[in-house]
PDB file of all heavy atoms in Angstrom:
ATOM      1  N   ALA F 276      74.425 265.696 207.282  1.00  0.00           N
ATOM      2  CA  ALA F 276      75.086 264.404 207.517  1.00  0.00           C
ATOM      3  C   ALA F 276      74.249 263.330 206.807  1.00  0.00           C
ATOM      4  O   ALA F 276      73.053 263.524 206.524  1.00  0.00           O
ATOM      5  CB  ALA F 276      75.141 264.124 209.015  1.00  0.00           C
ATOM      6  N   PRO F 277      74.827 262.148 206.551  1.00  0.00           N
ATOM      7  CA  PRO F 277      74.047 261.104 205.919  1.00  0.00           C
ATOM      8  C   PRO F 277      72.798 260.712 206.727  1.00  0.00           C
ATOM      9  O   PRO F 277      72.839 260.885 207.936  1.00  0.00           O
ATOM     10  CB  PRO F 277      75.048 259.908 205.868  1.00  0.00           C
ATOM     11  CG  PRO F 277      76.410 260.514 205.947  1.00  0.00           C
ATOM     12  CD  PRO F 277      76.247 261.781 206.778  1.00  0.00           C
ATOM     13  N   THR F 278      71.806 260.195 206.042  1.00  0.00           N
ATOM     14  CA  THR F 278      70.612 259.741 206.729  1.00  0.00           C
ATOM     15  C   THR F 278      70.982 258.635 207.649  1.00  0.00           C
ATOM     16  O   THR F 278      71.672 257.669 207.265  1.00  0.00           O
ATOM     17  CB  THR F 278      69.580 259.210 205.678  1.00  0.00           C
ATOM     18  OG1 THR F 278      69.554 260.050 204.556  1.00  0.00           O
ATOM     19  CG2 THR F 278      68.198 259.079 206.296  1.00  0.00           C
ATOM     20  N   SER F 279      70.554 258.677 208.893  1.00  0.00           N
ATOM     21  CA  SER F 279      70.889 257.617 209.851  1.00  0.00           C
ATOM     22  C   SER F 279      70.007 256.398 209.616  1.00  0.00           C
ATOM     23  O   SER F 279      68.904 256.521 209.145  1.00  0.00           O
ATOM     24  CB  SER F 279      70.716 258.117 211.283  1.00  0.00           C
ATOM     25  OG  SER F 279      69.326 258.282 211.541  1.00  0.00           O
ATOM     26  N   PRO F 280      70.525 255.197 209.930  1.00  0.00           N
ATOM     27  CA  PRO F 280      69.695 254.013 209.781  1.00  0.00           C
ATOM     28  C   PRO F 280      68.380 254.133 210.594  1.00  0.00           C
ATOM     29  O   PRO F 280      67.350 253.656 210.142  1.00  0.00           O
ATOM     30  CB  PRO F 280      70.589 252.909 210.347  1.00  0.00           C
ATOM     31  CG  PRO F 280      72.009 253.360 210.190  1.00  0.00           C
ATOM     32  CD  PRO F 280      71.919 254.884 210.349  1.00  0.00           C
ATOM     33  N   GLU F 281      68.468 254.803 211.763  1.00  0.00           N
ATOM     34  CA  GLU F 281      67.227 254.954 212.583  1.00  0.00           C
ATOM     35  C   GLU F 281      66.210 255.830 211.892  1.00  0.00           C
ATOM     36  O   GLU F 281      65.013 255.519 211.921  1.00  0.00           O
ATOM     37  CB  GLU F 281      67.619 255.526 213.952  1.00  0.00           C
ATOM     38  CG  GLU F 281      68.506 254.671 214.815  1.00  0.00           C
ATOM     39  CD  GLU F 281      69.977 254.685 214.344  1.00  0.00           C
ATOM     40  OE1 GLU F 281      70.432 255.688 213.663  1.00  0.00           O
ATOM     41  OE2 GLU F 281      70.710 253.685 214.584  1.00  0.00           O
ATOM     42  N   ALA F 282      66.708 256.914 211.271  1.00  0.00           N
ATOM     43  CA  ALA F 282      65.759 257.811 210.582  1.00  0.00           C
ATOM     44  C   ALA F 282      65.140 257.080 209.392  1.00  0.00           C
ATOM     45  O   ALA F 282      63.922 257.252 209.075  1.00  0.00           O
ATOM     46  CB  ALA F 282      66.523 259.074 210.110  1.00  0.00           C
ATOM     47  N   LEU F 283      65.921 256.268 208.696  1.00  0.00           N
ATOM     48  CA  LEU F 283      65.397 255.537 207.586  1.00  0.00           C
ATOM     49  C   LEU F 283      64.372 254.493 208.036  1.00  0.00           C
ATOM     50  O   LEU F 283      63.294 254.321 207.395  1.00  0.00           O
ATOM     51  CB  LEU F 283      66.549 254.876 206.794  1.00  0.00           C
ATOM     52  CG  LEU F 283      66.247 254.685 205.285  1.00  0.00           C
ATOM     53  CD1 LEU F 283      66.045 255.986 204.591  1.00  0.00           C
ATOM     54  CD2 LEU F 283      67.433 253.950 204.618  1.00  0.00           C
ATOM     55  N   GLN F 284      64.628 253.865 209.138  1.00  0.00           N
ATOM     56  CA  GLN F 284      63.742 252.874 209.708  1.00  0.00           C
ATOM     57  C   GLN F 284      62.416 253.580 210.012  1.00  0.00           C
ATOM     58  O   GLN F 284      61.345 253.052 209.765  1.00  0.00           O
ATOM     59  CB  GLN F 284      64.375 252.264 210.953  1.00  0.00           C
ATOM     60  CG  GLN F 284      63.414 251.386 211.795  1.00  0.00           C
ATOM     61  CD  GLN F 284      63.165 250.071 211.163  1.00  0.00           C
ATOM     62  OE1 GLN F 284      64.127 249.285 210.937  1.00  0.00           O
ATOM     63  NE2 GLN F 284      61.945 249.718 210.850  1.00  0.00           N
ATOM     64  N   SER F 285      62.496 254.748 210.636  1.00  0.00           N
ATOM     65  CA  SER F 285      61.229 255.466 211.042  1.00  0.00           C
ATOM     66  C   SER F 285      60.463 255.804 209.765  1.00  0.00           C
ATOM     67  O   SER F 285      59.196 255.749 209.761  1.00  0.00           O
ATOM     68  CB  SER F 285      61.601 256.731 211.785  1.00  0.00           C
ATOM     69  OG  SER F 285      62.301 256.492 212.951  1.00  0.00           O
ATOM     70  N   ALA F 286      61.179 256.253 208.710  1.00  0.00           N
ATOM     71  CA  ALA F 286      60.493 256.594 207.470  1.00  0.00           C
ATOM     72  C   ALA F 286      59.815 255.373 206.885  1.00  0.00           C
ATOM     73  O   ALA F 286      58.641 255.431 206.454  1.00  0.00           O
ATOM     74  CB  ALA F 286      61.470 257.174 206.480  1.00  0.00           C
ATOM     75  N   CYS F 287      60.450 254.209 206.955  1.00  0.00           N
ATOM     76  CA  CYS F 287      59.853 252.994 206.422  1.00  0.00           C
ATOM     77  C   CYS F 287      58.595 252.637 207.259  1.00  0.00           C
ATOM     78  O   CYS F 287      57.589 252.247 206.703  1.00  0.00           O
ATOM     79  CB  CYS F 287      60.862 251.811 206.473  1.00  0.00           C
ATOM     80  SG  CYS F 287      62.207 251.992 205.307  1.00  0.00           S
ATOM     81  N   ASP F 288      58.707 252.771 208.564  1.00  0.00           N
ATOM     82  CA  ASP F 288      57.553 252.472 209.435  1.00  0.00           C
ATOM     83  C   ASP F 288      56.390 253.341 209.077  1.00  0.00           C
ATOM     84  O   ASP F 288      55.229 252.904 209.037  1.00  0.00           O
ATOM     85  CB  ASP F 288      57.910 252.652 210.925  1.00  0.00           C
ATOM     86  CG  ASP F 288      58.938 251.615 211.396  1.00  0.00           C
ATOM     87  OD1 ASP F 288      59.122 250.590 210.700  1.00  0.00           O
ATOM     88  OD2 ASP F 288      59.552 251.852 212.444  1.00  0.00           O
ATOM     89  N   LEU F 289      56.672 254.640 208.850  1.00  0.00           N
ATOM     90  CA  LEU F 289      55.602 255.576 208.458  1.00  0.00           C
ATOM     91  C   LEU F 289      54.915 255.117 207.144  1.00  0.00           C
ATOM     92  O   LEU F 289      53.671 255.189 207.078  1.00  0.00           O
ATOM     93  CB  LEU F 289      56.221 256.969 208.222  1.00  0.00           C
ATOM     94  CG  LEU F 289      56.146 258.020 209.304  1.00  0.00           C
ATOM     95  CD1 LEU F 289      56.829 259.271 208.811  1.00  0.00           C
ATOM     96  CD2 LEU F 289      54.655 258.329 209.622  1.00  0.00           C
ATOM     97  N   GLY F 290      55.695 254.723 206.225  1.00  0.00           N
ATOM     98  CA  GLY F 290      55.113 254.253 204.925  1.00  0.00           C
ATOM     99  C   GLY F 290      54.180 253.103 205.141  1.00  0.00           C
ATOM    100  O   GLY F 290      53.077 253.066 204.543  1.00  0.00           O
ATOM    101  N   ARG F 291      54.558 252.174 205.994  1.00  0.00           N
ATOM    102  CA  ARG F 291      53.670 250.987 206.266  1.00  0.00           C
ATOM    103  C   ARG F 291      52.433 251.423 207.030  1.00  0.00           C
ATOM    104  O   ARG F 291      51.332 250.988 206.734  1.00  0.00           O
ATOM    105  CB  ARG F 291      54.438 249.944 207.035  1.00  0.00           C
ATOM    106  CG  ARG F 291      55.588 249.353 206.213  1.00  0.00           C
ATOM    107  CD  ARG F 291      56.269 248.179 206.898  1.00  0.00           C
ATOM    108  NE  ARG F 291      57.481 247.901 206.210  1.00  0.00           N
ATOM    109  CZ  ARG F 291      58.715 248.233 206.628  1.00  0.00           C
ATOM    110  NH1 ARG F 291      58.883 248.901 207.778  1.00  0.00           N
ATOM    111  NH2 ARG F 291      59.784 247.941 205.959  1.00  0.00           N
ATOM    112  N   GLN F 292      52.649 252.321 207.990  1.00  0.00           N
ATOM    113  CA  GLN F 292      51.509 252.759 208.793  1.00  0.00           C
ATOM    114  C   GLN F 292      50.478 253.514 207.948  1.00  0.00           C
ATOM    115  O   GLN F 292      49.298 253.528 208.215  1.00  0.00           O
ATOM    116  CB  GLN F 292      51.960 253.722 209.930  1.00  0.00           C
ATOM    117  CG  GLN F 292      52.701 253.009 211.050  1.00  0.00           C
ATOM    118  CD  GLN F 292      53.603 253.972 211.850  1.00  0.00           C
ATOM    119  OE1 GLN F 292      53.533 255.197 211.699  1.00  0.00           O
ATOM    120  NE2 GLN F 292      54.448 253.393 212.698  1.00  0.00           N
ATOM    121  N   HIS F 293      50.960 254.094 206.835  1.00  0.00           N
ATOM    122  CA  HIS F 293      50.049 254.855 205.977  1.00  0.00           C
ATOM    123  C   HIS F 293      49.535 253.997 204.789  1.00  0.00           C
ATOM    124  O   HIS F 293      49.143 254.566 203.759  1.00  0.00           O
ATOM    125  CB  HIS F 293      50.725 256.157 205.518  1.00  0.00           C
ATOM    126  CG  HIS F 293      50.666 257.183 206.625  1.00  0.00           C
ATOM    127  ND1 HIS F 293      49.729 258.214 206.670  1.00  0.00           N
ATOM    128  CD2 HIS F 293      51.372 257.255 207.758  1.00  0.00           C
ATOM    129  CE1 HIS F 293      49.935 258.908 207.786  1.00  0.00           C
ATOM    130  NE2 HIS F 293      50.900 258.343 208.498  1.00  0.00           N
ATOM    131  N   GLY F 294      49.667 252.691 204.914  1.00  0.00           N
ATOM    132  CA  GLY F 294      48.889 251.835 203.956  1.00  0.00           C
ATOM    133  C   GLY F 294      49.702 251.161 202.895  1.00  0.00           C
ATOM    134  O   GLY F 294      49.117 250.388 202.081  1.00  0.00           O
TER     135      GLY F 294
END
Side-chain angles (χ1 to χ4, degrees):
T278 318
S279 68
E281 296 74 26
L283 208 60
Q284 170 76 58
S285 299
C287 290
D288 291 345
L289 260 178
R291 294 187 193 101
Q292 288 158 12
H293 283 258

